[in-house]
Amino acid sequence: DSPCLVIPYPEYSPGRMPLFILRTGLSVDEIRNALDRVSKSEYGGAILVSNTGDWFIGTVKDPDITTEILEYPVFHKGYEDSAVRDSIVIKGKKYLITYRTANVLNAVLLYCIPESDVLGKLNMYRTWFWAILFISLFIVSVFSYWIYRLIHQPLKRMVSAFDKVEKGGFDALIERKSADEFGYLFTQFNKMVNHLRKLIHEVYENKILSQKSELKFLQSQINPHFLYNSFLLLSSMARIKDLENINRLTRHLGDYFRFITHDSNGMVTLEHEMEHVKN
């Protein structure tokens, strides 16, 4: 029952008888063991089948799979002396088939394996790829948000504070509790704003005091001269006995000197200012 390899010697030709015929028997068990060493798949295997289909040796454990493979139309297309790859669906499961002709044996060596066994690791790698991609995107997003909170947001606050100071808002102080580089910058910025506010306040006060001093000096220079002229005018009016104008002049002079000599913080009402202008 074992497959036999028949080789006539010399080669058989019509009209010529061979000198002898060498008949070699092949061990089915050894062939199956060899095929089993090639095939390590649990659901696949290797099959050595004759070109005529009258015998085969296989290691596929499921007989239904073997039957489906042997009935696959590819075995009726004729074999070529080259490796061929194909696929077949058996029981809803896709199998990859690789086979090659063996002209010496007039047989085909076929190896089938579930596609999942071949592409399973690829699918796993694909899953790992997408998982790593999503994790990387998540890490990049978290890192970007962290950079935004750590650098961009403090810089934006500082620029906004500088804009307020530039427009004269010296109350633009920045609060930051963390003791990092921006915390140090914010502390120095607050000190700078306070120092500027103090300097500006001192400059304004000095300027106001200087203006008040100049005003007092001018008043001290002008008022006596004005007073002397007023007395001379009154003396002249008294000589001509212009009593009505003397009365008016002395009343206006009294109101005038009362206004410029009153003790005030520099603020007067508009009514008193207008009355002073009239006087």
Side-chain angles (χ1 to χ4, degrees):
D1 296 333
S2 300
C4 293
L5 178 62
V6 179
I7 303 177
Y9 182 82
E11 292 184 357
Y12 175 76
S13 59
R16 184 178 179 182
M17 295 298 293
L19 298 179
F20 62 88
I21 295 178
L22 177 64
R23 178 184 179 94
T24 302
L26 303 179
S27 173
V28 176
D29 293 335
E30 292 298 329
I31 294 176
R32 185 175 287 109
N33 292 335
L35 296 178
D36 191 52
R37 287 193 297 269
V38 174
S39 173
K40 299 296 182 183
S41 174
E42 181 179 358
Y43 298 99
I47 299 177
L48 182 64
V49 57
S50 66
N51 291 342
T52 57
D54 55 348
W55 62 267
F56 71 90
I57 303 172
T59 61
V60 180
K61 298 178 181 179
D62 191 340
D64 296 334
I65 297 178
T66 302
T67 302
E68 291 286 342
I69 292 175
L70 294 177
E71 293 179 356
Y72 192 56
V74 72
F75 293 105
H76 303 285
K77 297 178 181 177
Y79 301 114
E80 298 178 357
D81 189 14
S82 62
V84 182
R85 296 173 180 84
D86 205 346
S87 62
I88 182 174
V89 178
I90 303 175
K91 295 182 178 181
K93 192 173 184 179
K94 193 172 184 180
Y95 287 80
L96 298 179
I97 298 177
T98 300
Y99 55 91
R100 184 166 187 171
T101 59
N103 293 328
V104 175
L105 299 177
N106 293 325
V108 176
L109 177 61
L110 180 145
Y111 179 71
C112 68
I113 185 173
E115 187 181 54
S116 58
D117 291 355
V118 178
L119 303 180
K121 291 187 177 181
L122 295 178
N123 294 330
M124 181 183 67
Y125 293 152
R126 186 183 296 111
T127 303
W128 276 106
F129 170 77
W130 287 110
I132 293 173
L133 178 63
F134 285 122
I135 293 174
S136 301
L137 291 176
F138 175 76
I139 293 175
V140 169
S141 301
V142 172
F143 181 74
S144 300
Y145 179 73
W146 179 72
I147 290 295
Y148 171 79
R149 290 286 303 274
L150 184 66
I151 298 178
H152 181 73
Q153 196 173 32
L155 283 177
K156 188 176 180 181
R157 291 177 61 189
M158 180 169 286
V159 171
S160 177
F162 272 114
D163 290 338
K164 291 182 180 178
V165 173
E166 184 180 2
K167 295 177 182 178
F170 293 98
D171 57 343
L173 301 179
I174 308 176
E175 295 182 0
R176 187 176 177 89
K177 298 180 180 180
S178 59
D180 55 3
E181 289 79 3
F182 280 102
Y184 173 77
L185 290 177
F186 290 166
T187 301
Q188 297 303 316
F189 174 82
N190 294 336
K191 290 182 179 179
M192 180 195 69
V193 172
N194 290 329
H195 188 60
L196 285 176
R197 182 166 52 192
K198 183 179 179 181
L199 290 176
I200 292 174
H201 184 68
E202 291 178 354
V203 169
Y204 279 155
E205 284 187 347
N206 292 334
K207 185 176 181 180
I208 292 173
L209 290 175
S210 177
Q211 290 177 349
K212 286 184 177 179
S213 298
E214 291 178 1
L215 180 61
K216 292 296 182 181
F217 178 76
L218 291 175
Q219 287 179 346
S220 66
Q221 295 295 321
I222 296 174
N223 289 345
H225 182 70
F226 175 72
L227 181 60
Y228 298 152
N229 290 337
S230 299
F231 285 158
L232 290 174
L233 181 59
L234 284 173
S235 177
S236 300
M237 294 173 67
R239 282 197 302 269
I240 64 176
K241 296 181 181 181
D242 189 358
L243 300 179
E244 182 179 356
N245 284 328
I246 291 175
N247 181 42
R248 292 174 58 194
L249 179 57
T250 53
R251 188 178 71 253
H252 287 303
L253 283 175
D255 292 338
Y256 173 78
F257 285 112
R258 184 185 305 110
F259 182 84
I260 66 174
T261 58
H262 75 287
D263 185 12
S264 176
N265 58 0
M267 300 296 293
V268 295
T269 62
L270 180 61
E271 181 182 2
H272 290 163
E273 184 73 23
M274 292 299 298
E275 187 64 29
H276 176 64
V277 172
K278 291 178 181 179
N279 289 329

